[in-house]
Amino acid sequence: MGDTVVEPALLKPTSEPTPGPPGNNGGSLLSVITEGVGELSVIDPEVAQKACQEVLEKVKLLRGGVAISSRGTPLELVNGDGVDSEIRCLDDPPAQIREEEDEMGASVAAGTTKGARRRRQNNSAKQSWLLRLFESKLFDISMAISYLYNSKEPGVQAYIGNRLFCFRNEDVDFYLPQLLNMYIHMDEDVGDAIKPYIVHRCRQSINFSLQCALLLGAYSSDMHISTQRHSRGTKLRKLILSDELKPAHRKRELPSLSPAPDTGLSPSKRTHQRSKSDATASISLSSNLKRTASNPKVENEDEPVRLAPEREFIKSLMAIGKRLATLPTKEQKTQRLISELSLLNHKLPARVWLPTAGFDHHVVRVPHTQAVVLNSKDKAPYLIYVEVLECENFDTTNVPARIPENRIRSTRSVENLPECGITHEQRAGSFSTVPNYDNDDEAWSVDDIGELQVELPEVHTNSCDNISQFSVDSITSQESKEPVFIAAGDIRRRLSEQLAHTPTAFKRDPEDPSAVALKEPWQEKVRRIREGSPYGHLPNWRLLSVIVKCGDDLRQELLAFQVLKQLQSIWEQERVPLWIKPYKILVISADSGMIEPVVNAVSIHQVKKQSQLSLLDYFLQEHGSYTTEAFLSAQRNFVQSCAGYCLVCYLLQVKDRHNGNILLDAEGHIIHIDFGFILSSSPRNLGFETSAFKLTTEFVDVMGGLDGDMFNYYKMLMLQGLIAARKHMDKVVQIVEIMQQGEAGESPGVWD
Amino acid sequence: MDSLTMAQVEKRGGLLRKSSASKKPLKEKVVLMYDEIFMTEDPSKCSPRFWEELFLMKVNLEYLEGKLESLDGEELMKIKDNINCLFQHCIQALGEEHPIRVVNALQTLCALIRGVHQKNKSTSGFDIINMLMGFDKAELCMKNLMESLDSLLCAEGSESLKSLCLKLLLCLVTVTDNISQNTILEYVMINSIFEAILQILSHPPSRREHGYDAVVLLALLVNYRKYESVNPYIVKLSIVDDEATLNGMGLVIAQALSEYNRQYKDKEEEHQSGFFSALTNMVGSMFIADAHEKISVQTNEAILLALYEAVHLNRNFITVLAQSHPEMGLVTTPVSPAPTTPATPLGTTPPSSDVISSVELPLDADVQTSNLLITFLKYSSIVMQDTKDEHRLHSGKLCLIILTCIAEDQYANAFLHDDNMNFRVNLHRMPMRHRKKAADKNLPCRPLVCAVLDLMVEFIVTHMMKEFPMDLYVRCIQVVHKLLCYQKKCRVRLHYTWRELWSALINLLKFLMSNETVLLAKHNIFTLALMIVNLFNMFITYGDTFLPTPSSYDELYYEIIRMHQSFDNLYSMVLRLSTNAGQWKEAASKVTHALVNIRAIINHFNPKIESYAAVNHISQLSEEQVLEVVRANYDTLTLKLQDGLDQYERYSEQHKEAAFFKELVRSISTNVRRNLAFHTLSQEVLLKEFSTIS
């Protein structure tokens, strides 16, 4: 445990040069970050200066010689501005960062840059090891976070705070929970170091703002209300939510400039009336969402608080979850869910998005009939599918116009039906010759007002009152035509063949409504929903899914996600073919959140209940016999994922490993879900579970038994994986360790 | 004693004036003023503030109406100028600020319109326009009236005022039995109040108060000269796409229908818990039928017509059918006290809206999330139970027509067949001798189309009676056929117990044959027989596209073979009639041709089954054994492909149904008018309350 943090004593004292970077001034900073003056005041120059002096004093005491010579420079520079060390990464940025920083740095006064470089060259010989480390290519975000957390030097912290700007957004995003937790729970210096970066990013991205606001709320929630630190997190949260951080210089594109044609944008004519929907009664969407939902025009005139629609959207999803929890049966929950979502649909499209998605988009519709309630005893988590339209920029692209629900008629789903092994021609030639009265064009695409007014002019007015004209015609006409004969056996055979062709779907079970929905292959589902959606024809249409959890603390899940993600990259780096599937988590508050569902996967519990087979037999049924390629690759996937998750379970001490918490995907991978009990926490305080990880004989059977090659491969993978994890353990431990801040009773567990 | 009668006399106004002239001084002031209007002289001549004062007086509807009624056409013509004046001043008063004047003006208008009409039934609509407004001013007058009503309805004003506006409009629309003969409505067409109606429906508080009247008014207006001219209300209704409005309309209809369902259920339970349950055990089914009639609640044709018009005219409304309304069951009592009356006759009584249902509904678990379609199906199941009286026959027919429209709609079919939208639908089933009442609680949760099919099957098996409702049967079979066409087209494999449908259809055929002579006197039974046979043909030749399992296809054959006697009899009957040169020759021969596959199946399998029995020495084969024979002998059976089985004629109102709808609208008009009389008067209670506030 002690050796986890790489912080050699040797390096520690050398941290002194950080506060005193070679000269630059506050003006250059202003031009680097095109922000307002807001965050400049965040770091008090006096405090920073004082901190630097303290560091220098210390250093002087320790290593007089080296420090004394460097004393002059930092001191005279520090007085410029507290955050000026920021500029340093512009002077000498790591190669990959240089490019993106160039445009920012272009405005930096050339003189200062040159001067700074010259001065630093003078000092280079006396430069500290730490600075060299920080400036080396090896210095990555993981190390930055580690130093930020472990260093007690305000200068170092401030330096790293500035250095954050140089990392790629995605890299820093990964550590956002750690950063925010440090911001909330650690001392002021750390907070001051982090804040400018957070503020800067919030201005750039609305999604980042949302995530920050949510995490700040969630991580502050356990604290005592009165503490000062608490108010720091809350203050930042308020600042973000107050919308003061919206980009002032950016204006929304005019509708004419936006890529209108393919998204079908048109300012909605129905404006105020839609806001009067009945749905308001049950789903308390604020006027903000309503306004954005139906009327982009109004939105442009007086921009609402930009996070408001999204927060309302999230709030209504949570409210649904709460209401569902009050219903006694799954069936009622499902029906209620569908009806609630259908009302939610009235508010869409809106300027809302799913934070778990990896691209910019607007939510346009929730296919309410596809939603399912998941299995849970007392709470009501549910899975919804969400139709979105991908867009270039969430902020600037206009919200798509609403398309009425019944517009799907024009998509003519019949045409897209898979020809189940038979065409009409095959059935009988005579079919194609019959004029199709129930013509799709005629029947479905009647959009003319004139035609709608009364029914279509009757063609067969002379037909006898009650009988289909065509049935009569066709039968009488048969007398003159050559009769067509078909074999009854063929009909029967086709029926059984077509049913055999359909992939093994699960049976509908009112007690387990999610099984069927999750079993359906994702691509199939996307196709089906796209066909049934009025937005399905748009090229930028995408389907997303999300699990809404209400009443569950997902902060642990988020931690587990981070650890899994880290392990995954470690194993990738070390080329150990272990397979795990971290799934994205959105913490909304201390007791609610969203989870990105694993697609094409059902729980082993559901597999066994539905198929009534052993796992091995199920593999054989789904993938084919032992020697087939499909089975072998499914088996390999199973082994690799099994080994990966066994290690995860071992390292994270994952408990509560019943079959309902282990998924099996269509390719044979297993995926563990529900990391509610990890490290030292256990369900109902049962303490440690005796087994380090779950490996049942059934699993071993799938691997080919204890003596099989695949089982040996499994053991080997475990060993390699463990060694790799041990090698990079600091990266993993760090994640957990930082999150301990503010959580009293949580111990990181055993890391051996 | 004396004073009491005096008071009564005074109350009744001048009705008794002639008989007791001595009591003249006791007349109300308003009555005196009315009398002045009924003179030929201009009442404002001697008192210039006459009109201003008039609308400050409480209206005496009875007197005014009675007075108008008592005058014949000629007498009325004499005072035409004064009536015109009164009418105009009424319209002027609608613009007044003081609500009391507005209220009085509205009521006076009601009385005027009704009074003039009641007397002048024989005269044409143009005379009435002349009488009320004068030809020259009519257009402007009505424009002003409609504009005033429109702004009153849309304003943020008093709810009782709005209610009165709607009553006036309903009064105007229903003064004639035949709505299309009501010439004044021409002005209502020109000066549309459609938008005002929509606004009432889209706005929840006003919808709660006036939704019912608004929907009924709309349904009636749509039916004004529907087939002769371009009715702007039809055009406008067909293009509404605002979800809030459509939903509001759906909610009003759903509430009215579910209120009916609830009342029926209450009555039914009352009867069951009473002595009847004991009696019915002893007495035969005849008695049950009687008892059943007694518990019938009068149907609500107006709201059903509104549903029909919405479904038929507006394609967007289809989405509302499936729209669930969670708040219907769960929202707590709405803030506004809805003016509800306990008795619910036909017509304009708002079916005690949210207040009652929100209290009652949560108790019934399966109502919690309902939708309009489910409510409608339940309603239909009640209405269609008994089609003996004319109203119910109308309602039953309209239900089937609505179902026909739904079954033709692509979107409706999509959600009817949606595997993810499962519901338990408790249909009402007629208690019958030979079957027990199904346990409601064990109903499976299924796609909605199953409930529709159940309803059709239920209808088929319960209406084989002497007064054979041929028209309803044809519609019923058409609905099933249209659903099957969708399933075939979209390859929907519905897990439905098709066997119930098959045996119901075969029983119906049996009934047709056993009552051949009686039925043939009235109906062409061959069209129905042909439709039934073609349904079987659809299963036989296209079963592979929509049957859920191979064994269901086997079961189809089993059922046909088991009931082969019926088909044999049908064949010999149609053969007999098609070889005769009678009037049914052509119709019967069509059935002969349609039967070719069924006969092929019977002729193919029966000998095989017999020989199987002979070989194995079994006298009575079990179902499993027959199925085994069927499965083994498919390959040697050849079927003839009949085309056109999966095509149908779309529903069309224009020609075939026009007479029915005319009749229906007439009956609705009468009912609305009848109930309006009571209500316009009872409105005074509200107005009293109103006058104390202001």
Side-chain angles (χ1 to χ4, degrees), chain B residues 500-550:
Chain B
E500 281 172 26
L501 175 69
W502 297 330
S503 73
L505 290 173
I506 293 171
N507 282 331
L508 180 57
L509 279 180
K510 253 160 94 180
F511 178 83
L512 289 180
M513 282 175 296
S514 53
N515 296 281
E516 181 196 334
T517 41
V518 184
L519 291 174
L520 264 182
K522 288 184 199 161
H523 313 281
N524 176 359
I525 58 169
F526 301 102
T527 50
L528 184 60
L530 182 64
M531 291 172 78
I532 298 167
V533 171
N534 275 339
L535 275 189
F536 276 103
N537 282 329
M538 189 127 173
F539 278 104
I540 293 167
T541 41
Y542 296 115
D544 56 335
T545 55
F546 63 89
L547 281 174
T549 56

Side-chain angles (χ1 to χ4, degrees), chain A residues 270 273-274 276-282 327 331-332 334-336 338-340 342-343 346 365 368-370 372 402 404-409 413-414 417-420 422 424 427-428 430-431 433-438 440 443-447 449 452-456 458 460-461 463-472 474-479 481 483-496 498-499 508 528, chain B residues 199 202-204 207 229-231 234-235 238-239 241-245 247-248 251 312-313 315-316 318-319 323-327 330-331 365 368-369 409-411 414 418-424 445 471 474 478 481 488-491 493 527 530-531 534 540-545 547-554 557 590 593-594 631 634-635 637-656:
Chain A
R270 302 160 290 134
Q273 270 172 323
R274 284 198 51 224
K276 282 182 279 182
S277 161
D278 296 338
T280 29
S282 61
L327 297 173
E331 196 179 295
Q332 281 173 316
T334 308
Q335 285 179 4
R336 180 73 194 243
I338 289 173
S339 67
E340 293 264 15
S342 75
L343 288 180
H346 288 191
R365 181 174 177 259
H368 51 277
T369 62
Q370 306 303 318
V372 282
R402 182 175 171 81
E405 189 78 350
N406 62 344
R407 216 39 79 70
I408 56 150
R409 294 168 213 226
S413 59
V414 190
L417 277 174
E419 279 304 329
C420 312
I422 175 161
H424 284 253
R427 182 181 287 279
S430 68
F431 270 74
T433 63
V434 178
N436 190 2
Y437 179 70
D438 188 27
D440 295 341
W444 294 359
S445 53
V446 196
D447 261 326
I449 299 154
L452 273 172
Q453 187 187 331
V454 205
E455 52 285 329
L456 295 166
E458 200 45 61
H460 304 279
T461 39
S463 66
C464 61
D465 197 328
N466 299 319
I467 187 76
S468 161
Q469 181 68 33
F470 275 95
S471 306
V472 180
S474 57
I475 289 159
T476 43
S477 69
Q478 282 241 320
E479 292 166 301
K481 255 192 276 174
V484 181
F485 294 102
I486 40 171
D490 287 345
I491 299 173
R492 172 66 158 70
R493 212 167 295 123
R494 275 200 297 268
L495 179 56
S496 30
Q498 278 168 29
L499 286 167
R508 203 159 280 282
R528 199 167 50 80
Chain B
Q199 196 186 315
S202 63
H203 194 53
R207 190 196 65 225
S229 64
V230 178
N231 178 331
I234 295 181
V235 180
S238 64
I239 55 172
D241 63 348
D242 178 72
E243 268 135 352
T245 313
N247 251 325
L251 260 179
H312 180 234
L313 292 175
R315 321 170 75 219
N316 302 313
I318 291 286
T319 55
Q323 194 81 75
S324 310
H325 293 285
E327 77 266 35
L330 291 164
V331 150
Q368 273 195 346
T369 38
D409 187 277
Q410 183 74 12
Y411 183 82
D418 193 328
D419 217 16
N420 285 315
M421 282 172 75
N422 292 296
F423 293 94
R424 285 176 216 279
C445 214
D471 180 42
V474 168
Q478 278 174 344
H481 181 232
K488 185 216 155 233
K489 194 162 76 168
C490 294
R491 316 257 159 141
R493 297 185 187 279
T527 50
L530 182 64
M531 291 172 78
N534 275 339
I540 293 167
T541 41
Y542 296 115
D544 56 335
T545 55
L547 281 174
T549 56
S551 63
S552 52
Y553 194 67
D554 304 339
Y557 278 62
K590 280 175 190 165
H593 292 297
R631 274 192 285 264
Y634 273 125
D635 278 331
L637 173 65
T638 310
L639 298 170
K640 194 174 159 193
L641 196 69
Q642 292 147 314
D643 45 21
L645 288 177
D646 56 344
Q647 274 140 18
Y648 56 81
E649 190 185 16
R650 290 182 74 81
Y651 168 78
S652 150
E653 179 187 321
Q654 183 95 51
H655 301 288
K656 292 174 199 163

Side-chain angles (χ1 to χ4, degrees), chain A residues 601-627:
Chain A
V602 283
S603 76
I604 290 185
H605 172 76
Q606 285 167 333
V607 165
K608 296 179 69 122
K609 195 179 167 196
Q610 290 273 350
S611 68
Q612 298 291 324
L613 296 170
S614 73
L615 208 53
L616 177 61
D617 290 336
Y618 180 75
F619 261 71
L620 292 169
Q621 177 199 302
E622 290 284 297
H623 304 286
S625 65
Y626 290 108
T627 49

Side-chain angles (χ1 to χ4, degrees), chain B residues 81-240:
Chain B
D81 286 345
N82 276 356
I83 301 236
N84 285 179
C85 222
L86 174 62
F87 198 89
Q88 274 177 35
H89 278 97
C90 281
I91 291 165
Q92 258 175 36
L94 291 182
E96 300 261 0
E97 257 181 52
H98 203 292
I100 278 292
R101 284 170 188 272
V102 181
V103 166
N104 288 335
L106 286 170
Q107 291 205 301
T108 311
L109 279 171
C110 273
L112 258 180
I113 291 166
R114 289 158 65 109
V116 169
H117 271 93
Q118 277 173 19
K119 195 59 223 168
N120 294 283
K121 274 197 176 120
S122 53
T123 56
S124 74
F126 295 105
D127 293 333
I128 284 168
I129 292 172
N130 193 27
M131 187 73 66
L132 286 173
M133 301 163 264
F135 279 130
D136 47 339
K137 293 180 201 131
E139 204 155 311
L140 187 67
C141 239
M142 283 305 290
K143 185 169 177 274
N144 289 338
L145 173 63
M146 297 311 290
E147 276 170 4
S148 304
L149 290 177
D150 185 79
S151 59
L152 281 172
L153 285 173
C154 295
E156 293 280 305
S158 139
E159 295 298 324
S160 50
L161 212 58
K162 286 185 187 177
S163 163
L164 207 53
C165 286
L166 285 170
K167 300 279 188 229
L168 172 61
L169 283 164
L170 280 172
C171 170
L172 189 65
V173 169
T174 58
V175 273
T176 55
D177 282 345
N178 182 348
I179 191 169
S180 299
Q181 282 168 8
N182 190 349
T183 324
I184 302 182
L185 291 189
E186 209 56 55
Y187 297 109
V188 182
M189 294 295 132
I190 299 165
N191 307 293
S192 169
I193 47 141
F194 184 78
E195 286 71 23
I197 296 176
L198 285 202
Q199 196 186 315
I200 287 170
L201 292 177
S202 63
H203 194 53
S206 70
R207 190 196 65 225
R208 239 169 257 136
E209 297 275 339
H210 318 294
Y212 186 86
D213 282 349
V215 164
V216 171
L217 178 63
L218 184 60
L220 286 169
L221 283 173
V222 162
N223 277 282
Y224 172 74
R225 307 189 72 181
K226 207 181 200 180
Y227 310 106
E228 297 131 54
S229 64
V230 178
N231 178 331
Y233 290 86
I234 295 181
V235 180
K236 285 178 179 175
L237 178 59
S238 64
I239 55 172
V240 176

